[in-house]
Amino acid sequence: MSGLNVSLGYFLAVVVFGAAFRILFRKWPRLSVAAEFPASFVLVACWLEVQTIKEVGEWAGGLGPDVTLTILFLVLLTHGVICAGVTGNPSLTLMNFLLLETHTLPTLLALAAQFLGAHLALLGAGYYWALELNDMHMIKNLMSRECSTALRVSLVQGVFSECVCAFIFYLIYLSLKRRSALIRVPLVAAVLTYFSHSASNYTMAFLNPSLAYGLTFYCPGFTFMEYSVVYWLGPIFGMTLALLLYMGHIPRIFTKNLLYSQKTRFRVPKGEGDKKK
């Protein structure tokens, strides 16, 4: 339990750091794009610790899969609350761009901030593990150079898995987009937790290019390009298909609805209808 207390303290410190940055950026609306940095940093930093608990927690701290899933859900729920208005996810940023909700330059800056946040979170987690505050971190520090990749299938299967999971998730996300945050945030966290558990023997279903970059790109087994194809192209392609199916077109590319016909219905006033009779 002492090992878990150390991890909970780490989660709290990361969340406070992200919340402080969010408050800071709210005072300067012109720097709103930079808010993607703490959003990505918090998500990757916390997920790295969840991954540590999953990999070595069971035999170093007696923490089973139920604990890992519960912590992951709480991390995603907390991230959704403190990072409201930003995504920390390049796929969602590109979706907003395709929906004409953002322009080109802010989109590019947001993408850069997300990957910068993911990279610094990886460096920060490495420093934190090197402190070896508990048995889990001591083992993790020894295993850091030989980490196990999240991609446990072939490239074709990996792309298919990420694409299908992203397609289903973004259909759900689009249907919840206009709902109250009290409904949307817990449901999104639950769906992401479910996909992560269900795809644990395939790709882990990160559905987030910057998150995947921070969690598995540095692990041996595949090249940077191969990881990019699975964890970047897969989710983006699935997101694009979901957007096309949900809306019938992609506003940034097509102005005409390609899938659904829009029939205009005219209402005839009752008085005019009676006169015609």
Side-chain angles (χ1 to χ4, degrees):
M1 184 60 69
S2 60
L4 183 59
N5 290 335
V6 172
S7 295
L8 293 177
Y10 169 79
F11 289 134
L12 180 61
V14 172
V15 169
V16 169
F17 171 81
F21 263 83
R22 288 285 292 138
I23 295 173
L24 180 65
F25 287 130
R26 283 178 182 174
K27 295 182 178 180
W28 290 283
R30 294 182 179 180
L31 299 177
S32 59
V33 173
E36 292 290 346
F37 166 77
S40 179
F41 179 91
V42 170
L43 182 61
V44 175
C46 289
W47 204 308
L48 282 167
E49 184 67 3
V50 173
Q51 194 176 53
T52 300
I53 296 173
K54 179 181 179 180
E55 291 176 351
V56 299
E58 189 169 356
W59 40 281
L63 306 175
D66 54 338
V67 176
T68 305
L69 288 176
T70 302
I71 293 176
L72 178 58
F73 172 74
L74 293 176
V75 164
L76 292 171
L77 183 64
T78 305
H79 181 266
V81 172
I82 68 170
C83 297
V86 291
T87 64
N89 186 340
S91 295
L92 284 173
T93 300
L94 290 175
M95 175 186 284
N96 293 333
F97 176 73
L98 294 176
L99 287 171
L100 301 177
E101 295 180 3
T102 58
H103 299 291
T104 303
L105 182 58
T107 299
L108 293 176
L109 293 175
L111 293 175
Q114 288 162 354
F115 280 100
L116 177 62
H119 186 71
L120 292 182
L122 179 59
L123 296 178
Y127 175 77
Y128 164 67
W129 295 329
L131 297 176
E132 298 184 358
L133 299 177
N134 56 29
D135 293 339
M136 281 193 305
H137 296 151
M138 181 180 67
I139 297 172
K140 181 65 177 180
N141 192 39
L142 293 174
M143 296 170 53
S144 60
R145 295 182 180 180
E146 299 295 334
C147 64
S148 57
T149 177
L151 181 56
R152 301 178 181 178
V153 292
S154 66
L155 290 182
V156 175
Q157 291 174 317
V159 171
F160 180 77
S161 175
E162 285 289 304
C163 182
V164 171
C165 291
F167 175 75
I168 298 172
F169 169 73
Y170 287 112
L171 277 179
I172 297 173
Y173 180 86
L174 286 167
S175 65
L176 296 173
K177 193 173 182 181
R178 304 300 179 187
R179 298 292 184 121
S180 169
L182 293 175
I183 299 174
R184 184 183 68 256
V185 173
L187 284 178
V188 169
V191 170
L192 287 174
T193 304
Y194 171 77
F195 276 131
S196 178
H197 175 68
S198 301
S200 59
N201 292 325
Y202 299 93
T203 63
M204 289 296 293
F206 295 127
L207 311 183
N208 182 331
S210 61
L211 177 64
Y213 169 78
L215 265 62
T216 200
F217 271 46
Y218 63 95
C219 295
F222 295 90
T223 65
F224 185 92
M225 186 60 65
E226 289 172 333
Y227 278 129
S228 300
V229 170
V230 174
Y231 290 108
W232 292 359
L233 296 184
I236 291 173
F237 187 65
M239 175 272 293
T240 306
L241 288 178
L243 184 60
L244 180 62
L245 181 63
Y246 183 81
M247 298 195 64
H249 71 125
I250 300 175
R252 179 69 63 176
I253 303 174
F254 307 106
T255 56
K256 182 180 179 181
N257 198 305
L258 303 176
L259 299 181
Y260 310 118
S261 59
Q262 298 177 340
K263 296 182 180 180
T264 305
R265 297 180 179 179
F266 296 96
R267 294 182 179 180
V268 180
K270 292 183 179 180
E272 295 184 7
D274 295 337
K275 290 179 181 179
K276 291 182 180 179
K277 293 180 180 180

